[in-house]
């Protein structure tokens, strides 16, 4: 029988609504995507990734049963679930017994549903009793999250729905390329311009998004902090500060004023490469606009000064009165499918559900009460993602790792080193729908269900909690991570509190989050389905949810937003004589994150079959490199080889590589794991490299 199910795309944070038609006669995978025009975020529009997502369900691209390795270096072989689960439970227990609870680690992902993220955190703290749980979302939005909390007392990616964007007067998009990362969102920016608004894009590359802007500022990588300070300087100098707003709704302006005064236009031009005249143009457009927004993405965030960089852009919003008001504000465009919810419910090293701090005694008592354990038994904060990976197999580090929804062999910074650390583990367990590059290193691989085969919620970039519905059955040998956690918990002596179905987990999550910043207490599956999603905070079932935050007060103790008052500093690694160019990394339209899924979809692979190195014609001429010829890119951490793509859309001092591929062209072989001191975000967005012709080498 053919059925249709309203659900959402498995990929990015837009979480586009889609309708799945399923049945034995529907294509090879038993499912096809139809439009779901009623869902407000994308109104039926989908990008190629969403449209082709059913290809992921085909048996020939995925795992259909557990795999085991009998000895280090030996081959993976098929196994039954009881044998695989026994092996995992015995391995985890053995490491815990020999080396202590913190020698067992958990690594999650920003694509996991809220229920899985919540249950992973609970499993780590209640069953394993380890402090060492973190997730790949640390690599995505943690700097924006830290800056958001510092300024506003609360972190939700967008404090307003996307539908507000067309109605602002001036929008600055910093280090974001929605034309390639989330194409259906582009219409909000186009509508803004059709309404007479101004779009300014800040990006070292003239991306497809930048090509649509009224003004494109093209700083060198790492220049965004100085650029924001330069704009603030000009806003102050031109008398465009909203004195009334600053006095009534903020604190700390004096500090920001002093910092901005040290960043006069000529100095900022030297620091960023952006001509002072363009800077003045942007400052006037934004400063004189009645309403305005600044949206950041990974460009300014994935830096060793990411928290301060985002803080400087927030300061610009605050000084001009463009926050906590209708049609104005700062926001972060989250990346992964559940980039927002994934950081709210306990898979982050320092957090408990509801976006609570694990160091807060009241938060510990509340969550321990929901979990039925003594608060004293809950561990404290563990290591951040890169620090956890860097310590694998080392004295004092994690020796057995349970990993779900992540592929760090491709996606972690300094990925060659991380792969080596994974190989040094006593036990690596990977739960994944496909045999990813990380799963290939595992001792035990557990085949996991996918979005169309299970219920679960995610929280999109707007803070809208939405519901993915089970549309078809998974293959016989595949299980959900919730089922796996239940089975492992039982084998490790905890028989209650780990249901295999999602809705009871969500109902417990609601209670655990009640009273926290990210309060889901009033959100139910029934409401989400009936209301096209519910915005948190939503503290009770009669509450309508909160699409717009901060309109009356900010979430700080005194209700005022806090200026960051930060100053420019260089990146952890600037170009020098040996490594004279910047490398920046990012995504392409047809691939997603580490590519573990999209590289298995034929039409996406045909559109974007492999890595490349984008370089300016002047640089290409200097290196005597032609279009398509192989070049090597070398940093202090390693060397990658890929074909050249010669284009004048990039700065002559910068090369760009997409990061979706393993092997010789793996961009993250090169990237710098230097961490932001507040967010512990690695500096993916820039490092110093040397580029050379790679004659005679295979791609
Ligand atoms: S924009 Fe994102 S959520 Fe929408 S269809 Fe594309 S990948 Fe899926």
């Amino acid at each position: 029988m053919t059925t249709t199910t309203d659900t959402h795309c498995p990929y990015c944070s837009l979480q586009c609504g889609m309708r799945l038609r399923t049945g034995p006669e529907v294509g090879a995978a038993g499912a096809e995507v139809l439009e779901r025009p009623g869902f407000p975020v994308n109104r039926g529009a989908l990008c190629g990734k969403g449209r082709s997502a059913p290809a992921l369900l085909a048996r020939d691209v995925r795992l259909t049963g557990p795999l085991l390795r009998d000895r280090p270096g030996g081959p993976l072989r098929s196994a039954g679930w009881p044998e695989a689960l026994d092996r995992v439970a015995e391995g985890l227990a053995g490491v815990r017994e020999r080396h202590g609870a913190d020698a067992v680690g958990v690594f999650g992902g920003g694509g996991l549903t809220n229920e899985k993220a919540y249950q992973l955190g609970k499993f780590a703290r209640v069953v394993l009793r380890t402090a060492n749980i973190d997730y790949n979302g640390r690599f995505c939005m943690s700097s924006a999250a830290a800056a958001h909390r510092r300024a506003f007392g609360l972190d939700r990616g967008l404090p307003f729905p996307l539908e507000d964007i067309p109605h602002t007067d001036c929008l600055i998009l910093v280090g974001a390329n929605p034309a390639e990362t989330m194409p259906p969102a582009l219409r909000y920016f186009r509508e803004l311009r059709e309404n007479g608004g101004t779009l300014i894009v800040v990006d070292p590359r003239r991306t497809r998004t930048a090509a649509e802007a009224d003004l494109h500022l093209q700083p060198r990588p790492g220049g965004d902090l100085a650029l924001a300070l330069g704009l603030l300087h000009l806003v102050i100098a031109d008398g465009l500060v909203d004195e009334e707003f600053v006095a009534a709704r903020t604190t700390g302006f004096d500090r920001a004023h002093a910092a901005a005064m040290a960043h006069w236009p000529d100095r900022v031009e030297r620091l960023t490469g952006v001509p002072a005249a363009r800077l003045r143009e942007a400052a006037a457009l934004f400063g004189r606009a009645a309403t305005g927004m600044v949206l950041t993405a990974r460009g300014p965030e994935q830096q060793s000064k990411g928290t301060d960089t985002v803080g400087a852009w927030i300061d610009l919003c605050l000084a001009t009165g463009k926050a906590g008001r209708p049609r104005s504000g700062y926001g972060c465009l989250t990346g992964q499918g559940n980039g927002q919810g994934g950081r709210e419910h306990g898979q982050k090293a320092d957090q408990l559900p509801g976006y609570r701090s694990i160091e807060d005694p009241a938060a510990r008592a509340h969550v321990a009460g929901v979990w039925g354990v003594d608060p004293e038994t809950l561990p404290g904060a563990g290591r951040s993602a890169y620090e956890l990976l860097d310590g694998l197999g080392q004295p004092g580090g994690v020796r057995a790792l349970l990993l779900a929804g992540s592929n760090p062999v491709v996606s972690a910074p300094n990925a060659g080193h991380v792969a080596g650390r994974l190989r040094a583990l006593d036990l690596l367990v990977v739960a994944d729908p496909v045999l990813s590059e990380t799963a290939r290193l595992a001792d035990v691989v557990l085949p996991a269900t996918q979005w169309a085969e299970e219920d679960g919620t995610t929280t999109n970039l707007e803070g809208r909690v939405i519901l993915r519905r089970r549309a078809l059955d998974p293959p016989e040998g595949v299980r959900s991570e919730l089922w796996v956690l239940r089975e492992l918990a039982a084998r490790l002596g905890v028989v209650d509190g780990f249901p295999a179905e999602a809705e009871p987990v969500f109902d417990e999550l609601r209670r655990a989050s009640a009273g926290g910043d990210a309060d889901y207490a009033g959100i139910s599956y029934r409401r989400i389905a009936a209301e096209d999603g519910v915005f948190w905070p939503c503290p009770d079932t009669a509450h309508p949810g909160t699409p717009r935050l901060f309109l009356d007060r900010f979430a700080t103790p005194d209700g005022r937003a806090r200026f960051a008052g930060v100053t420019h500093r260089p990146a952890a690694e600037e170009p020098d004589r040996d490594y004279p160019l910047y490398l920046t990394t990012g995504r392409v339209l047809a691939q997603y994150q580490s590519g573990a899924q999209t590289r298995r979809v034929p039409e996406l692979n045909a559109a974007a079959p492999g890595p490349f190195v984008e370089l300016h014609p002047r640089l290409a001429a200097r290196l005597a490199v032609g279009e398509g010829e192989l070049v090597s890119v070398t940093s202090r951490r390693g060397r990658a080889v890929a074909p050249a793509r010669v284009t004048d859309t990039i700065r002559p001092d910068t090369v760009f590589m997409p990061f979706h591929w393993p092997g010789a062209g793996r961009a993250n072989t090169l990237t710098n794991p230097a961490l932001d001191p507040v967010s512990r975000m690695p500096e993916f967005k820039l490092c110093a490299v040397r580029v050379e012709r790679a004659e005679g080498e295979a791609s």
Side-chain angles (χ1 to χ4, degrees), residues 68-76 87 423-427 441-443:
L68 280 187
R69 200 183 303 278
D70 291 319
R71 55 182 168 77
L76 285 165
R87 170 86 174 275
R423 287 191 186 93
L425 284 164
D426 295 355
L427 177 70
L441 302 184
D443 301 289

Side-chain angles (χ1 to χ4, degrees), residues 466-629:
I466 53 107
L467 183 58
R468 290 183 187 164
R469 279 297 194 189
R470 179 177 173 134
L472 74 176
D473 293 334
E476 178 64 26
V478 174
R479 301 285 186 275
S480 105
E481 288 95 334
L482 295 178
W483 182 89
V484 169
L485 293 176
R486 184 188 76 178
E487 295 296 311
L488 290 177
R491 282 167 170 77
L492 292 165
V494 179
V495 290
D496 292 324
F498 287 88
E501 296 302 320
E503 191 163 1
V505 176
F506 187 76
D507 286 338
E508 185 182 300
L509 178 161
R510 293 168 61 188
R511 287 188 284 120
S513 74
D517 283 350
D519 190 334
Y520 283 40
I523 304 175
S524 64
Y525 276 24
R526 188 189 52 74
R527 275 194 71 180
I528 297 171
E531 300 173 28
D532 279 331
V534 181
F535 289 80
W536 70 259
C538 182
D540 60 68
T541 52
H543 191 284
T546 315
R548 295 170 183 85
L549 294 168
F550 313 138
L551 293 182
D552 301 321
R553 71 192 305 278
F554 295 100
T556 53
D558 63 4
R560 291 163 175 263
R562 297 178 283 230
F563 278 93
V566 293
T567 56
H568 166 76
R569 62 179 186 273
E573 189 179 78
E574 293 283 348
D576 56 20
R577 206 184 53 179
D578 297 331
Y579 301 94
L581 296 165
Y582 288 105
L583 168 72
T584 190
T585 64
R587 286 167 52 187
V588 298
L589 177 62
Q591 298 285 355
Y592 179 71
Q593 306 299 56
S594 79
Q597 296 157 294
T598 47
R599 282 187 275 114
R600 288 173 165 80
V601 177
E603 70 182 80
L604 299 178
N605 233 12
F612 57 87
V613 181
E614 215 175 65
L615 66 171
H616 191 275
R618 289 214 297 273
L619 177 61
R622 189 149 53 82
L623 299 172
V625 169
E627 175 75 17
E629 291 181 339

Side-chain angles (χ1 to χ4, degrees), residues 8-18 42 45-51 181-185 587 592:
H8 295 268
C9 174
Y11 295 114
C12 85
S13 67
L14 205 55
Q15 286 295 283
C16 292
M18 62 167 59
N42 60 310
L46 295 165
C47 76
K49 296 188 285 284
R51 280 196 303 274
T181 56
M182 47 178 72
R587 286 167 52 187
Y592 179 71

Side-chain angles (χ1 to χ4, degrees), residues 287-313:
R288 293 186 192 285
T291 58
M293 296 174 177
V294 172
L295 303 181
T296 65
R298 307 300 82 74
E301 299 165 13
Q302 289 180 322
Q303 298 185 25
S304 62
K305 54 182 170 180
T307 305
D308 283 353
T309 301
V310 174
W313 287 102

Side-chain angles (χ1 to χ4, degrees), residues 75-231:
L76 285 165
R77 65 164 172 86
S78 296
W81 275 100
E83 184 187 14
L85 291 166
D86 287 348
R87 170 86 174 275
V88 175
E90 282 161 20
L92 296 176
V95 167
R96 185 170 63 180
E97 209 172 290
R98 291 193 300 279
H99 303 285
D102 286 344
V104 178
V106 177
F107 199 90
L112 298 175
T113 60
N114 290 319
E115 291 81 355
K116 292 179 185 178
Y118 171 85
Q119 210 68 329
L120 264 188
K122 180 178 177 183
F123 182 80
R125 275 78 180 229
V126 172
V127 178
L128 300 175
R129 302 277 169 96
T130 179
N132 283 321
I133 172 168
D134 213 60
Y135 80 124
N136 66 14
R138 178 80 71 170
F139 297 160
C140 291
M141 293 79 53
S142 55
S143 292
H148 230 134
R149 288 176 76 81
R150 189 163 71 180
F152 305 127
L154 184 81
D155 160 42
R156 198 182 81 186
L158 294 181
F160 42 72
L162 286 164
E163 69 187 41
D164 286 5
I165 287 176
H167 307 293
T168 196
D169 293 309
C170 182
L171 189 144
I172 307 180
L173 205 48
V174 190
N177 184 13
E180 296 213 51
T181 56
M182 47 178 72
L186 204 59
R187 82 175 156 80
Y188 292 103
F189 303 99
R190 288 181 176 154
E191 285 173 18
L192 176 152
R193 296 189 67 222
E194 285 161 16
N195 291 344
T198 304
L199 177 64
I200 301 172
V201 170
V202 178
D203 200 305
R205 301 165 64 219
R206 193 169 73 247
T207 60
R208 295 185 196 191
T209 309
E212 299 213 8
D214 297 283
L215 179 61
H216 174 209
L217 305 180
Q218 199 167 4
R220 57 180 64 101
D224 340 47
L225 173 50
L227 194 69
L229 289 164
L231 294 175

